[in-house]
Amino acid sequence: MVFLLHPERAGLTTQDSWDSKIFSRKCLSEMTKNIVLVLSGLWNIAMSQPNDPVFPSLGIFDCMASLIYKGIKDRDWLLRDQNIYIPYYAAHVIGSYTMNKVEFAEKAVQSGVIPPLMELLRGKISWVEQRVAVRAIGHLASYEKTFDAVAVFEEEVVKLSMKLASTCLDVVYLNFVGVKDKKKRLKYHSDLLTRGVGGLEMENRKAEEWASQLQCWSLYLLNCFACKERSLDLICQKDFLIDLCYIWGGLVNHTSPAGVGLIRILCYSKTGRKNIAESKEVIENLCNVSRSSDDWQYMGIDCLLFLLKDPDTRYKVIETATLFLVDLVELCSLPDRINLGEAITRTLLLDFKETKLKFKNKKFEKALEEIWELKVEKRKREKMMSEEKVAERRVFLGLIKQEAKHLFWLGEVEEAALKYSEALEVCPLRLRNERMVLYSNRAQCHLLLGDSDGAIRDSTRALCLSTPPNSHSKSLWRRSQAYDMKGLANESLMDCIMFINGCIKSETTKRAKIPYYAARMVSKQMDATWIFANARSKISSSQVNKIQEPYDECKSSNDEQQYDEMMRMVMEKKSYLSGLSTIFEEPIDVKGGSKREPGGGRRRKKAVVARSM
């Protein structure tokens, strides 16, 4: 490290210290015994001070490129001592110094870093090196001045990135997370993941994070080409577009829009819209995202609006999209998006009469007529409504609502749902809070009747009317249950987390009490949406002896302690909680597990009923 910080102590002149070729040559000859230690120190500096010009100006990129080449071409050298760590650290240093400064990226390209990084991207060593290689190449591709240097390998880069995005989770699970015996895992992988701290559980968790990053950085690299409308024929392959729908990043990487982010970029181009519109599965997934409480809900809505505004794709998607977007027409805003409901309404009602005649789908026709009645006809009728008339309607509304509640508690759920429908017909549009409650209560009726689609529709409408949007706790919980009934685990999980967040914020005491039934739902959906869930299901019976369930060691310990740890992890990842002390109705000791067993079935059933209305 002294050699790198003070080259004069290693026998280099001042002139030499600024000559990149001499620096690289002497760097390789001087750093023989402690090269990994030196690179580790460089990695720390690059991570903490990526904008510092000292090392880039000394020719660090030449040095790192040479080290990567050395590791790839000389296998005996790579497997000697601790040299196996060198390509990883070298590629990481390149990526860190090029992530912010275009001038550093230009120096890196001039130093010839792209060919050795491409070797790592091809998988010449392992997925760990692929992760840092795709990160570094992604940074270089993000700058106008260095994009062309990456584009020299355009077809190969795009194909490799697509393959990584689609298969990297399977690779990481099969070669690392799924390996039961820690001794059979590559030691340097374990060391890089945990820095020698923590056991199997810590390694698994870190591997989840790294696998998610590998996937998301691969998508980021594809974004760089898609933004320039390059290689769209490759990126828009039907199978890959379907894969994108199921790449959600997971809670371990909640800052990335993952698959839907790339689909949105593709929707900016005519070629992208054409290919997306032809895939029914992609459209249905975009519709589900648009009705979720996910941070990227607005991206799903954006994609659908792009497709609906294009005359060439409008009539390919309008039947499916309308059945979902009808529930969002009263949505006021989302982050960075205002008057979304109005934008959706205008887009769907464009050429209203012609569109209605064009299709013979009764559900679609009914949805269009509902939007017209709600947003055009009813708005006209209420425009001249006096405050006295509104007050009368409010009183009448209260009476109908009481009748509906009475019927509900008598067990006449269908009749109660009809009463709530009657109340919604007479409720003025300006009474948004009352409409929210009515929709939410009708959603509960649908839920009890086993109508999951109806429950999702009404709870979504209630959430659109809430202030801010997606904040009405009861509707979130009801929609979470409905999504669970339909097997939509991601959407159910996100709604349940938002519901738990509402429970925490509503607590006045320091120890937040989260309903047991919500904690159980999160536990169920966390397993279903586990980042390696699909990879685990793909493993054949002949490989069972090599594979373990996630966190197998934890399962042998106290289940409730694991349960508590899981919940704390979820809340931390969503930035909802600084410290979760309990997840059950009863107090939980975070360090020592549950102080007593959770309440029995009867108690839990009462809790659910208490939340029903």
Side-chain angles (χ1 to χ4, degrees):
M1 195 57 165
V2 172
F3 165 75
L4 292 170
L5 289 171
H6 306 284
E8 68 278 6
R9 298 184 190 176
L12 289 178
T13 65
T14 305
Q15 173 93 21
D16 291 342
S17 67
W18 293 94
D19 188 314
S20 62
K21 291 184 179 178
I22 294 174
F23 176 82
S24 297
R25 196 160 52 246
K26 295 206 173 189
C27 178
L28 285 171
S29 62
E30 292 289 336
M31 295 188 297
T32 53
K33 295 182 180 178
N34 297 321
I35 190 169
V36 175
L37 182 61
V38 173
L39 275 178
S40 178
L42 266 177
W43 170 78
N44 273 308
I45 293 172
M47 287 287 286
S48 60
Q49 303 171 44
N51 300 328
D52 190 334
V54 173
F55 286 111
S57 65
L58 288 172
I60 195 170
F61 297 120
D62 288 282
C63 182
M64 297 302 108
S66 300
L67 288 171
I68 294 172
Y69 262 138
K70 179 76 172 172
I72 291 169
K73 293 181 177 179
D74 190 341
R75 185 171 178 81
D76 291 336
W77 177 83
L78 183 68
L79 299 178
R80 193 184 309 144
D81 300 324
Q82 291 186 316
N83 292 349
I84 190 68
Y85 297 88
I86 291 174
Y88 169 84
Y89 280 123
H92 210 307
V93 168
I94 294 171
S96 296
Y97 275 122
T98 56
M99 66 181 173
N100 295 330
K101 296 275 191 178
V102 64
E103 54 267 34
F104 294 174
E106 288 182 279
K107 282 181 182 292
V109 169
Q110 291 163 9
S111 301
V113 300
I114 293 179
L117 288 173
M118 284 298 300
E119 292 293 322
L120 295 182
L121 188 64
R122 294 177 186 120
K124 287 296 180 69
I125 301 181
S126 77
W127 65 271
V128 168
E129 289 76 18
Q130 283 181 304
R131 169 180 167 269
V132 287
V134 76
R135 169 180 177 257
I137 295 172
H139 292 327
L140 297 175
S142 67
Y143 300 112
E144 287 290 336
K145 293 184 177 181
T146 53
F147 175 81
D148 288 339
V150 178
V152 170
F153 303 90
E154 180 172 348
E155 184 176 351
E156 186 180 14
V157 167
V158 170
K159 286 181 177 179
L160 287 170
S161 299
M162 290 170 62
K163 184 179 179 181
L164 277 175
S166 299
T167 65
C168 65
L169 300 184
D170 296 348
V171 171
V172 176
Y173 184 81
L174 183 61
N175 294 298
F176 190 83
V177 177
V179 179
K180 265 188 176 183
D181 189 351
K182 186 175 179 178
K183 294 178 182 178
K184 292 182 180 179
R185 293 181 171 184
L186 288 176
K187 184 179 183 300
Y188 91 98
H189 282 185
S190 300
D191 291 342
L192 287 172
L193 283 164
T194 64
R195 307 290 163 191
V197 179
L200 198 67
E201 180 188 359
M202 182 65 72
E203 288 180 10
N204 286 347
R205 288 190 178 179
K206 199 66 181 176
E208 285 184 40
E209 184 180 336
W210 280 24
S212 179
Q213 289 171 353
L214 173 55
Q215 191 175 60
C216 290
W217 282 332
S218 299
L219 293 176
Y220 177 75
L221 183 50
L222 291 171
N223 270 328
C224 294
F225 286 92
C227 285
K228 299 179 183 296
E229 298 191 18
R230 303 276 291 260
S231 296
L232 292 184
D233 290 338
L234 278 175
I235 299 172
C236 290
Q237 291 176 14
K238 184 177 179 180
D239 289 343
F240 182 64
L241 290 177
I242 292 172
D243 286 344
L244 286 177
C245 297
Y246 301 99
I247 298 175
W248 74 301
L251 295 178
V252 294
N253 204 356
H254 60 273
T255 58
S256 169
V260 70
L262 179 53
I263 291 175
R264 180 168 171 260
I265 294 296
L266 295 173
C267 282
Y268 282 108
S269 68
K270 203 162 192 67
T271 302
R273 290 194 296 272
K274 176 180 177 294
N275 284 277
I276 289 167
E278 290 173 354
S279 176
K280 184 179 180 181
E281 191 169 351
V282 173
I283 298 303
E284 287 178 351
N285 275 276
L286 287 175
C287 289
N288 286 329
V289 173
S290 71
R291 288 199 310 186
S292 71
S293 56
D294 191 281
D295 293 340
W296 313 118
Q297 177 188 9
Y298 75 91
M299 288 195 176
I301 296 172
D302 281 355
C303 291
L304 294 173
L305 291 181
F306 281 134
L307 295 168
L308 289 166
K309 289 175 181 178
D310 185 343
D312 294 331
T313 56
R314 176 177 176 81
Y315 296 110
K316 293 180 181 179
V317 303
I318 194 167
E319 279 188 279
T320 302
T322 300
L323 299 178
F324 289 80
L325 293 179
V326 63
D327 302 326
L328 304 174
V329 294
E330 292 191 87
L331 178 62
C332 283
S333 63
L334 288 172
D336 299 323
R337 296 290 186 281
I338 58 172
N339 297 325
L340 262 179
E342 293 302 314
I344 292 169
T345 300
R346 286 194 300 271
T347 305
L348 291 178
L349 293 183
L350 188 67
D351 299 327
F352 169 63
K353 293 180 180 178
E354 293 83 349
T355 303
K356 212 168 65 162
L357 293 172
K358 198 175 183 72
F359 298 95
K360 296 181 180 180
N361 184 326
K362 290 185 178 180
K363 287 184 178 180
F364 167 67
E365 187 178 339
K366 182 181 177 182
L368 268 187
E369 288 176 349
E370 187 179 353
I371 298 170
W372 181 267
E373 168 63 25
L374 183 70
K375 301 294 284 184
V376 179
E377 298 297 339
K378 191 168 185 177
R379 185 178 283 180
K380 283 181 183 177
R381 291 195 298 270
E382 293 182 4
K383 210 167 188 179
M384 305 303 294
M385 188 179 289
S386 65
E387 289 299 322
E388 290 182 1
K389 188 68 174 175
V390 172
E392 288 178 14
R393 287 281 185 95
R394 197 191 294 270
V395 172
F396 184 48
L397 193 64
L399 294 174
I400 300 176
K401 188 178 174 183
Q402 287 299 320
E403 287 182 49
K405 271 194 174 183
H406 181 68
L407 288 168
F408 181 88
W409 290 113
L410 287 176
E412 304 291 340
V413 180
E414 289 185 37
E415 288 76 4
L418 291 173
K419 277 294 176 184
Y420 283 124
S421 299
E422 183 183 339
L424 282 164
E425 287 179 12
V426 301
C427 184
L429 295 176
R430 68 188 75 175
L431 301 181
R432 291 178 66 87
N433 192 62
E434 285 81 353
R435 289 172 61 75
M436 176 189 73
V437 173
L438 292 171
Y439 275 126
S440 186
N441 286 352
R442 193 171 71 174
Q444 179 64 21
C445 294
H446 288 311
L447 204 58
L448 294 177
L449 293 169
D451 180 7
S452 57
D453 289 322
I456 292 170
R457 284 196 301 270
D458 280 348
S459 52
T460 299
R461 295 180 186 199
L463 289 166
C464 287
L465 291 164
S466 62
T467 306
N470 298 324
S471 62
H472 188 237
S473 293
K474 290 182 179 180
S475 297
L476 286 166
W477 172 240
R478 288 162 183 169
R479 194 170 68 175
S480 178
Q481 294 175 86
Y483 276 135
D484 179 51
M485 290 168 65
K486 286 182 69 68
L488 295 171
N490 289 355
E491 288 78 6
S492 176
L493 175 62
M494 299 310 295
D495 280 350
C496 196
I497 291 174
M498 292 289 285
F499 167 67
I500 291 172
N501 179 45
C503 293
I504 293 169
K505 287 182 177 178
S506 65
E507 287 289 338
T508 55
T509 60
K510 290 184 179 179
R511 289 174 64 84
K513 292 183 179 179
I514 297 171
Y516 181 77
Y517 53 84
R520 284 180 61 86
M521 179 70 84
V522 168
S523 177
K524 175 183 178 181
Q525 306 303 4
M526 282 286 284
D527 183 66
T529 61
W530 186 48
I531 194 168
F532 297 116
N534 288 333
R536 177 179 56 188
S537 67
K538 292 177 185 177
I539 301 303
S540 65
S541 57
S542 62
Q543 295 170 311
V544 169
N545 61 327
K546 297 181 182 178
I547 304 304
Q548 68 170 1
E549 293 295 314
Y551 311 170
D552 223 14
E553 289 187 349
C554 294
K555 291 185 178 180
S556 63
S557 62
N558 188 305
D559 284 342
E560 290 177 5
Q561 185 175 358
Q562 179 206 0
Y563 203 42
D564 180 54
E565 181 66 20
M566 181 195 305
M567 285 298 298
R568 285 196 293 114
M569 181 186 70
V570 171
M571 305 313 292
E572 286 167 5
K573 291 298 179 185
K574 292 300 290 182
S575 301
Y576 287 157
L577 189 60
S578 58
L580 182 61
S581 60
T582 176
I583 62 165
F584 298 111
E585 293 288 356
E586 292 80 11
I588 296 290
D589 181 353
V590 173
K591 294 182 179 179
S594 177
K595 292 183 179 178
R596 53 178 173 168
E597 288 293 318
R602 182 182 301 174
R603 179 175 180 178
R604 292 197 296 275
K605 185 175 179 182
K606 285 180 68 177
V608 175
V609 172
R611 287 277 179 188
S612 65
M613 297 301 290

